[in-house]
Amino acid sequence: MVKIGMIIGDRYEILEKIGTGGMSDVYKAKDHKLNRPVAVKVLKQEFSENANFVSKFRIEAQAAAGLMHPNIVNVYDVGEENGIYFIVMELVEGITLKKYIEKKARLSVKEAVSIAIQVSMGIEAAHNNHIIHRDIKPQNIIISKEGKVKVTDFGIAKAATSNTITSNVMGSVHYTSPEQARGGYSDEKSDIYSLGVTMFEMLTGRVPFNGETTVAIAIKHIQEEMPSPREFVSEIPISVEQIVFKCCQKSPDRRYQSMGELVGDLKRSLMTPDEDFVKVVNSDEEGSTKMISDRDMARIKKQSKHRDSMEEAIHLRTEADVKRSAKKRYVVEEEDEEEEEIEEEYYEDDEEEEEDYNPKAERLTTVLAVIAAILIGCIVLFLVGSAVGLFELDLFGKGDDQNQEQTQEVKEQVEMIEVVGKNIDDVKVALLNIGLTPEIEYQESTQYDQGIVMSASVDAGTTVDEGSNIILTVSAGSEGVEVPDVKGMSEAEGVAALSQKGFIVNKTEGHDEYIKEGNIITQSPEAGSKAPSGTTITIRISLGPENAKVRVPDLMGRGEEEAMAMLVEAGLQLGVVSTVNNENAELTGLVCYQSYSVGSYVDAGTLVDISISLGPVQATYKFTDSISAPTPEEDPKYRGGTMVTVTLMADDGTQLLSTQTTAFPIQQQNITGIKCNTGYILYQYVNNTEATTVTNEDGTVTDIPASSENKEIRRPVQFAAE
């Protein structure tokens, strides 16, 4: 059991709970070894003894631990201690892309493309490590306070051991690729499809396909053509629309073949948005509409209808837990919404039967068998019924209403368990496991301890329909319900957290210089106090600074795309982008200047100019001296009048002068723009010696023949600064 203040792994001190999901809880913690805040994801206690869940938790850790990239929520550590399984991750302060879209209704084209570029680069890093995410959606993309876009939740990602992996888990149905919806194979191009749908939502504020059921939506992904984003937002450039279309092709072979290829087109669209440069294969070659097979239809319906009981418990629990989440300032992960999930089952198919499968023959056989069975059944039923007087022969066709056939769907029944007097956490798990949905109401009580179930809307032993809602009345203790801390939350998050505890919410508004517009400034009564269920809690919602100004973020040291994303997140726009020299070599290729100082307040929508560093200014040098002949120290045999090739070289390999002469000195030079401060003069010539005769001491004479010697001399040179 994880408690506030405990230390796990001999280094991570648990500080507060900041989120919860279906399988795990997320805590803010302090890493005492490296003295930094971290997020610790802990497998819930009720699932820690289940081998399947432990395996799934470890798979998530193994998939994510091998990834290190600025656009991915990094995993620092993985461990287990006394039955507590945990993952230590980067703590990211920010907002999910889903909430960001909901807040703004839709994003501008530049903002959407900029975010898509960063997401693509993060996913590309995962793909390069043979990891497929398989659940790309706005809920799994975080925009940090600094404007950095990060991909999170590799919970259903698996390391690919080959080019493709069998898709045993389907991501959220609104973003799932056709091959995932069919229960087929998924690879890197499945992530590209999901990113295309995400781009569609960023640009239009809606998903391309909707329906009353998950099955209906999945079928649309398989059969229906992608609607045009420009039907909803006419100002979307043609290049961006074509990028979305190419990402969302039904056939994986017709999509972008890599994230790198997609990033290239996204960057080009920022420079030439109205240029039609994206090549999308015409779908008419294989037919504009592809009909789904009966087997695929049956599989999809089966996937949606039949779920493992424990998996159902997780997803139902997730829905309740998300509403109860008390701390969203630090966004680590946002779990899948239950209505958007299609859980996939394993199917064992005989390969030989697959090869010999004839759908027409099978359908004909099935129809004939059904007709025969119905006829035989009707005859037997009529004969038996007539014998006992249940049926009367009506020759004139005046049938009674009681003889009309009626069909009614029969739901599975479950027996309600005993819950009174038990802890609410245990009761929730038990109800979810048998297919019932708990709804909780808190009430003060002197008879029951806090957290104990006092009554239920259905008595133990009663048979009810599977999926029925069970209202549980839970003791809040004699002192009332503890008021959760909602300050800093969004309005929707705060209201949900308070309503979950049984409080009535009264909302007021006011300006605040530091609290983001739409977030909660204050609450009354204060967090941590106790109040009876039904008490009115007043919250004050920020309208932003009274002067309607926004704070300029720190863009220094950021890339151009990242800087643009940060500006858009802050409510500003990217102005003129220029290039300049900067003495700090580490800033080369990054922002080295912004037109408004960091932390200053300007009007929303203000254009902020930036400069990208070309690196330090390159110093230049000059040579203005004359060149003298080789000295005796350099060559005692040199004789004036010898033909010499003279070359002046810089140490970077640049040739500055080359000439031949017999007369020295060579007159004064004026060579400028030299890029290094040292060089050398190279002398190349031949020393010739004429034949001669030498008389030795003993009087004999020795003839010395003529000779020649190739000579090369290097003289170092120091150039003067210009």
Side-chain angles (χ1 to χ4, degrees):
M1 181 75 178
V2 177
K3 297 181 180 180
I4 305 302
M6 73 180 296
I7 296 178
I8 60 176
D10 295 326
R11 61 187 292 187
Y12 307 110
E13 181 183 358
I14 304 298
L15 302 178
E16 60 179 314
K17 189 175 182 179
I18 58 176
T20 190
M23 289 175 54
S24 57
D25 295 318
V26 183
Y27 298 87
K28 180 182 179 181
K30 181 179 181 180
D31 182 352
H32 284 280
K33 185 172 289 186
L34 297 177
N35 194 29
R36 66 180 177 185
V38 294
V40 179
K41 188 173 186 179
V42 180
L43 186 64
K44 290 183 176 179
Q45 186 178 10
E46 57 261 40
F47 304 130
S48 61
E49 297 179 358
N50 186 293
N52 291 331
F53 287 109
V54 172
S55 175
K56 195 171 187 179
F57 194 78
R58 285 174 171 169
I59 289 173
E60 176 181 352
Q62 292 168 359
L67 301 177
M68 293 294 291
H69 191 273
N71 296 117
I72 293 176
V73 176
N74 295 313
V75 173
Y76 299 143
D77 193 10
V78 179
E80 183 271 333
E81 183 178 282
N82 298 324
I84 299 174
Y85 297 87
F86 63 91
I87 303 174
V88 183
M89 303 179 297
E90 176 185 6
L91 185 65
V92 181
E93 185 180 0
I95 184 174
T96 66
L97 178 58
K98 185 70 173 180
K99 291 186 179 294
Y100 189 54
I101 296 172
E102 291 173 352
K103 181 180 178 181
K104 300 191 69 174
R106 65 180 178 87
L107 310 186
S108 68
V109 173
K110 278 190 175 181
E111 186 177 14
V113 171
S114 175
I115 291 173
I117 289 172
Q118 295 188 65
V119 173
S120 299
M121 291 190 295
I123 301 173
E124 183 182 25
H127 289 177
N128 291 338
N129 283 273
H130 310 294
I131 295 173
I132 317 299
H133 192 290
R134 298 194 295 170
D135 196 23
I136 297 297
K137 59 183 179 181
Q139 295 92 326
N140 287 339
I141 298 168
I142 300 173
I143 303 173
S144 71
K145 271 184 79 175
E146 296 77 24
K148 187 70 139 180
V149 179
K150 291 178 176 283
V151 182
T152 186
D153 196 2
F154 283 81
I156 63 173
K158 290 187 177 180
T161 56
S162 60
N163 292 332
T164 60
I165 53 180
T166 304
S167 207
N168 290 324
V169 181
M170 187 182 295
S172 299
V173 68
H174 288 97
Y175 310 90
T176 194
S177 65
E179 59 270 22
Q180 288 175 287
R182 288 192 181 96
Y185 290 90
S186 58
D187 59 10
E188 290 87 349
K189 293 180 282 293
S190 303
D191 285 348
I192 291 174
Y193 183 96
S194 299
L195 179 55
V197 177
T198 300
M199 290 177 60
F200 187 105
E201 185 175 0
M202 285 194 288
L203 294 164
T204 65
R206 51 163 290 162
V207 291
F209 299 121
N210 243 317
E212 295 182 357
T213 66
T214 55
V215 173
I217 300 170
I219 292 172
K220 288 183 178 181
H221 279 287
I222 297 172
Q223 284 188 306
E224 296 188 9
E225 291 299 314
M226 176 72 62
S228 168
R230 297 212 290 178
E231 290 181 6
F232 306 100
V233 183
S234 58
E235 60 262 31
I236 295 174
I238 180 67
S239 63
V240 177
E241 181 185 56
Q242 291 297 94
I243 289 173
V244 173
F245 279 149
K246 188 168 183 176
C247 288
C248 296
Q249 290 289 294
K250 304 297 183 189
S251 172
D253 293 338
R254 293 181 175 184
R255 301 172 201 157
Y256 288 100
Q257 297 303 291
S258 70
M259 283 294 179
E261 184 182 342
L262 171 58
V263 169
D265 276 3
L266 287 170
K267 289 182 176 180
R268 186 174 176 181
S269 73
L270 289 174
M271 296 182 289
T272 55
D274 297 321
E275 182 182 349
D276 188 8
F277 59 84
V278 181
K279 305 301 180 185
V280 181
V281 179
N282 191 339
S283 61
D284 291 340
E285 295 178 10
E286 296 182 2
S288 59
T289 301
K290 297 183 179 181
M291 300 304 295
I292 187 170
S293 69
D294 291 342
R295 286 176 72 88
D296 282 343
M297 176 69 79
R299 178 175 292 179
I300 293 170
K301 288 182 178 180
K302 212 169 184 181
Q303 291 168 353
S304 179
K305 183 178 181 180
H306 301 290
R307 301 178 178 178
D308 179 86
S309 61
M310 189 64 77
E311 292 286 347
E312 177 77 5
I314 287 177
H315 288 288
L316 291 173
R317 185 182 178 100
T318 298
E319 186 178 8
D321 287 344
V322 167
K323 293 179 181 179
R324 196 174 60 248
S325 179
K327 300 278 183 174
K328 298 292 185 181
R329 288 176 56 199
Y330 296 95
V331 179
V332 180
E333 291 193 34
E334 186 166 312
E335 302 291 332
D336 301 336
E337 298 177 14
E338 195 246 343
E339 68 269 15
E340 294 184 348
E341 295 296 319
I342 298 177
E343 298 297 330
E344 189 169 358
E345 295 183 356
Y346 291 96
Y347 299 93
E348 297 181 358
D349 297 326
D350 191 310
E351 294 182 359
E352 294 181 0
E353 290 180 2
E354 290 284 350
E355 293 175 0
D356 299 331
Y357 175 67
N358 187 326
K360 291 184 179 179
E362 185 181 56
R363 284 197 292 272
L364 180 59
T365 303
T366 302
V367 170
L368 292 174
V370 171
I371 292 173
I374 291 174
L375 289 174
I376 294 171
C378 289
I379 293 171
V380 173
L381 180 63
F382 181 80
L383 293 174
V384 174
S386 298
V388 299
L390 295 176
F391 299 107
E392 296 182 1
L393 188 62
D394 187 357
L395 298 176
F396 300 96
K398 297 179 179 180
D400 189 80
D401 292 339
Q402 296 178 356
N403 295 329
Q404 296 178 0
E405 294 185 10
Q406 298 182 5
T407 59
Q408 184 174 0
E409 183 181 355
V410 179
K411 294 185 177 180
E412 294 186 14
Q413 301 285 299
V414 296
E415 184 177 324
M416 179 62 182
I417 60 176
E418 181 60 63
V419 298
V420 175
K422 297 182 179 180
N423 185 277
I424 180 60
D425 292 332
D426 297 332
V427 170
K428 284 190 295 182
V429 174
L431 290 176
L432 292 170
N433 281 336
I434 64 173
L436 300 177
T437 304
E439 293 186 3
I440 303 170
E441 296 178 350
Y442 286 92
Q443 184 176 316
E444 288 76 33
S445 173
T446 57
Q447 182 181 356
Y448 293 92
D449 293 335
Q450 185 176 351
I452 301 300
V453 178
M454 299 190 295
S455 65
S457 59
V458 177
D459 295 332
T462 304
T463 302
V464 296
D465 292 338
E466 184 178 7
S468 298
N469 292 341
I470 307 297
I471 301 174
L472 304 172
T473 303
V474 181
S475 171
S478 59
E479 299 179 358
V481 184
E482 184 175 333
V483 180
D485 186 2
V486 298
K487 289 183 290 187
M489 291 185 183
S490 68
E491 178 183 346
E493 292 170 339
V495 171
L498 293 169
S499 300
Q500 177 66 26
K501 294 291 187 180
F503 295 118
I504 299 171
V505 181
N506 176 48
K507 293 181 285 186
T508 63
E509 296 180 333
H511 293 282
D512 190 275
E513 184 176 357
Y514 303 102
I515 303 300
K516 193 174 183 179
E517 181 181 355
N519 288 5
I520 299 172
I521 307 171
T522 60
Q523 65 179 87
S524 180
E526 288 293 328
S529 62
K530 296 205 174 175
S533 181
T535 299
T536 298
I537 308 296
T538 300
I539 59 175
R540 187 174 179 84
I541 313 299
S542 174
L543 297 174
E546 190 170 4
N547 55 6
K549 294 189 179 290
V550 296
R551 190 172 182 271
V552 178
D554 185 3
L555 308 178
M556 301 294 288
R558 312 283 183 174
E560 182 178 345
E561 289 86 2
E562 184 180 353
M564 181 171 63
M566 292 175 64
L567 288 171
V568 173
E569 166 68 12
L572 304 170
Q573 298 183 57
L574 180 63
V576 177
V577 180
S578 59
T579 54
V580 296
N581 292 110
N582 187 276
E583 293 303 315
N584 188 349
E586 294 182 356
L587 290 178
T588 303
L590 304 175
V591 176
C592 62
Y593 164 80
Q594 59 186 82
S595 56
Y596 292 92
S597 59
V598 177
S600 62
Y601 285 88
V602 298
D603 293 331
T606 298
L607 294 172
V608 179
D609 300 334
I610 63 173
S611 295
I612 305 297
S613 173
L614 296 172
V617 176
Q618 186 67 52
T620 58
Y621 303 88
K622 61 184 178 180
F623 179 80
T624 57
D625 297 334
S626 55
I627 301 175
S628 60
T631 65
E633 289 79 12
E634 292 171 330
D635 182 14
K637 296 181 180 180
Y638 171 76
R639 298 291 181 266
T642 302
M643 179 63 69
V644 183
T645 299
V646 181
T647 306
L648 179 62
M649 298 289 294
D651 281 341
D652 62 0
T654 304
Q655 180 176 292
L656 306 174
L657 173 69
S658 182
T659 186
Q660 288 185 320
T661 185
T662 59
F664 289 94
I666 299 174
Q667 64 183 10
Q668 188 171 6
Q669 303 295 307
N670 186 24
I671 303 172
T672 60
I674 304 171
K675 295 183 179 180
C676 58
N677 64 347
T678 58
Y680 59 90
I681 301 172
L682 179 64
Y683 299 88
Q684 294 173 305
Y685 55 92
V686 179
N687 278 330
N688 293 314
T689 303
E690 297 179 355
T692 185
T693 306
V694 178
T695 303
N696 301 318
E697 293 182 356
D698 59 359
T700 58
V701 176
T702 303
D703 295 326
I704 300 176
S707 64
S708 62
E709 178 188 10
N710 292 326
K711 193 68 176 179
E712 186 173 289
I713 298 172
R714 283 186 181 224
R715 180 185 297 171
V717 175
Q718 185 80 32
F719 302 126
E722 287 191 314

